[in-house]
Amino acid sequence: MTIKVAILGFGTVGEGVWETLHTHHEYIQKKLSTPIEITSILVKDSNKKRNLPDSVQVTTDIEEVFQQPVDVVLEAIVGKQPAYQYVTRAIEHGAHVITANKEMFAHYGPHLLELAKEHNVWIGYEATTAGGTPVIRTIDQMLQVNQIKSIQGIVNGTSNYILTQMTKHQNSFEDALLAAQQKGYAEADPSNDVDGYDAFYKAMILSQLAYQDQPNWDEVYLEGIRTISSQDIDKATIQGQKWKHVATIELRHGAPRASIQPMQLNEDHPLYNIDGVENALSIQTDLLGSITLSGPGAGKLPTASAMIEDLLYVFQKERQQEAQYV
Amino acid sequence: MTIKVAILGFGTVGEGVWETLHTHHEYIQKKLSTPIEITSILVKDSNKKRNLPDSVQVTTDIEEVFQQPVDVVLEAIVGKQPAYQYVTRAIEHGAHVITANKEMFAHYGPHLLELAKEHNVWIGYEATTAGGTPVIRTIDQMLQVNQIKSIQGIVNGTSNYILTQMTKHQNSFEDALLAAQQKGYAEADPSNDVDGYDAFYKAMILSQLAYQDQPNWDEVYLEGIRTISSQDIDKATIQGQKWKHVATIELRHGAPRASIQPMQLNEDHPLYNIDGVENALSIQTDLLGSITLSGPGAGKLPTASAMIEDLLYVFQKERQQEAQYV
């Protein structure tokens, strides 16, 4: 058997997946004991010059993707649509789905997880949150025995980079944002990051995982980092504190609550030292106590690695199940 | 089917496992869809008063443990022997083994993993290293796609507590050790912790996991924290640095190398802020980059939780395999 893979979206992340599947080809094949074949890549612009072999179907038409055999779809598109429509199609087609799309998965995760169950396929979403840092798998693992009391996280690298620049180099917000844009950490329109939407989506995904439920979106307090002035930063520094953009998810009276907002953290807070584009989660549990996990929040290879870990996870599970009964 | 569990050793950790299996009984049973029954507990002193129901066989005789049906053995004994003999017996009996015994597993892990493979059972050892902090599962997961370049860790809470006291409160080594003993973090004979043996064992287990091999033990540089004076601490503080007791494991020319020694860390080192009894690992990988995981390094409930996570892991895997073909 060969595992047939389709990649949807060929931006930074999609390309990273393609590259990693090639550079780590032998290693991955050994882990799976099965060859992997990329059958199709769905792109936006088919005229763009890409260095891809002829054996791979490059298409702008999702129907052509599913005219080929597909065992798993790696979805690396940005935004809700058409990504949602495509992954729904994939699940109904009987393919596993691995997604890096936080906006889509925050909106439709609950429904997609149900749909996947019905169709006996699996959805991997490690790459949606904190890039390559394995937060989803770690929380999932803890949930085996522990109940999660709360999660606090720095889940947007751009905002954290800006706040770090403002703190370490006394930059103004505008200068720090410019630096982030020059380094490629921030988009030309930075709203998604600095106004907290990106962190909001990740918080909803974490809530779904930790509590099998999301808060009512209207009741989530959402504040970005534009309100933090240089004066605020200086005041915090004098007090031995740092401003961080923190997503908090917790269970209150049996229902999940969340807030995403700038917070002044003391030196002994587990997120105090998370600087630059780094992401981190601090997870409070009933038995294990407090666990903190930090690492790269984005990036081509970390995100690709997270997606491929999901891919290996699902097929190793399948293979184990088969091996047992051969 | 009921899962039959034997607990070997009823010190702090063994008792923690017993307690957690009771306090989290419903939660665990729901996860497993199967009842769990503790059939025997192996103790050192059968005359000691314990609050255990009559349905549980409490014995000092390992043979009596295996006269009962046993699906899994939770080993929470200290030291190489007789623990090694007991878990070997368990594996040959066809039982899964979950161990918290770092000294035993550092010595015999390679052999036991082989033996378990032959007998088609599984060995869980999450609780051997960094208590409840899920370092074993996280590294195992990363290894799916990533190669581990190096691991640096603070893996002995007692030594880290002493160094933290010396740094924060200008304590002498002797006073800090006394404080650790009064808090129950250090034994009356602290050698295992402060001379680095405990950290050494954990480093060997991590090497086995990351590189499927251990360094030649004679070639591992091992230095405890007794050599660190108050003057050393002061000098580091002036330089904006901290002394930490660091285990380093890395691949050099294709072979694993390790050192366990006090190191002066800069503020930007991922382990710089790990204070008190906390443990942490910083893991360098080829794709994900650097991931840091920190949490409680010991403790009754964190360690028990790690063992029960292992227990759930193995039986959920079995159950999945069965479900697929019912």
Side-chain angles (χ1 to χ4, degrees), chain A residues 162-194:
Chain A
I162 291 171
L163 291 176
T164 302
Q165 287 293 108
M166 290 173 76
T167 303
K168 287 207 172 161
H169 308 291
Q170 285 84 47
N171 283 0
S172 67
F173 172 80
E174 289 73 20
D175 287 347
L177 173 58
L178 201 66
Q181 285 166 329
Q182 280 164 351
K183 290 216 166 208
Y185 300 150
E187 312 276 324
D189 174 3
S191 174
N192 199 29
D193 293 320
V194 302

Side-chain angles (χ1 to χ4, degrees), chain A residues 208-234:
Chain A
Q208 183 71 39
L209 172 63
Y211 305 120
Q212 293 81 55
D213 198 8
Q214 295 186 8
N216 190 330
W217 284 23
D218 297 336
E219 290 170 11
V220 175
Y221 181 73
L222 172 61
E223 184 188 335
I225 60 166
R226 288 192 207 257
T227 48
I228 305 299
S229 67
S230 299
Q231 287 74 21
D232 294 327
I233 297 276
D234 292 345

Side-chain angles (χ1 to χ4, degrees), chain B residues 156-186:
Chain B
N156 182 269
T158 310
S159 293
N160 201 46
Y161 177 82
I162 291 172
L163 291 176
T164 303
Q165 288 292 108
M166 290 174 76
T167 304
K168 286 205 174 162
H169 307 293
Q170 284 85 46
N171 284 358
S172 67
F173 172 80
E174 289 74 20
D175 287 349
L177 173 58
L178 201 67
Q181 284 166 331
Q182 280 163 354
K183 290 216 167 208
Y185 299 151

Side-chain angles (χ1 to χ4, degrees), chain A residues 20 24 27-28 31 132-134 137-138 141-147 273 278 286-296 301-302 305-306 308-310 312-313 316-317 320-322 324-325, chain B residues 20 24 27-28 31 132-134 137-138 141-147 273 278 286-296 301-302 305-306 308-310 312-313 316-317 320-322 324-325:
Chain A
T20 307
H24 287 57
Y27 192 79
I28 294 167
K31 288 268 170 195
T133 313
R137 199 61 49 77
T138 303
Q141 175 59 24
M142 286 178 180
L143 282 172
Q144 295 301 317
V145 186
N146 286 263
Q147 278 148 43
N273 280 290
E278 188 110 335
D286 59 345
L287 293 172
L288 289 179
S290 172
I291 303 281
T292 304
L293 188 59
S294 63
L301 295 185
S305 172
I308 296 173
E309 276 180 33
D310 274 347
L312 289 173
Y313 179 78
Q316 284 184 329
K317 222 168 53 175
Q320 269 172 7
Q321 288 165 353
E322 283 156 13
Q324 180 89 342
Y325 297 86
Chain B
T20 306
H24 286 58
Y27 191 80
I28 293 168
K31 288 272 169 186
T133 312
R137 200 62 49 79
T138 303
Q141 175 59 24
M142 285 177 180
L143 281 172
Q144 295 302 315
V145 186
N146 286 262
Q147 278 148 42
N273 280 290
E278 187 109 336
D286 59 343
L287 294 171
L288 289 178
S290 172
I291 302 281
T292 303
L293 188 60
S294 64
L301 295 184
S305 171
I308 296 173
E309 275 179 34
D310 274 346
L312 289 172
Y313 179 78
Q316 284 184 329
K317 222 168 52 175
Q320 269 173 8
Q321 289 166 352
E322 283 156 13
Q324 180 89 341
Y325 295 86

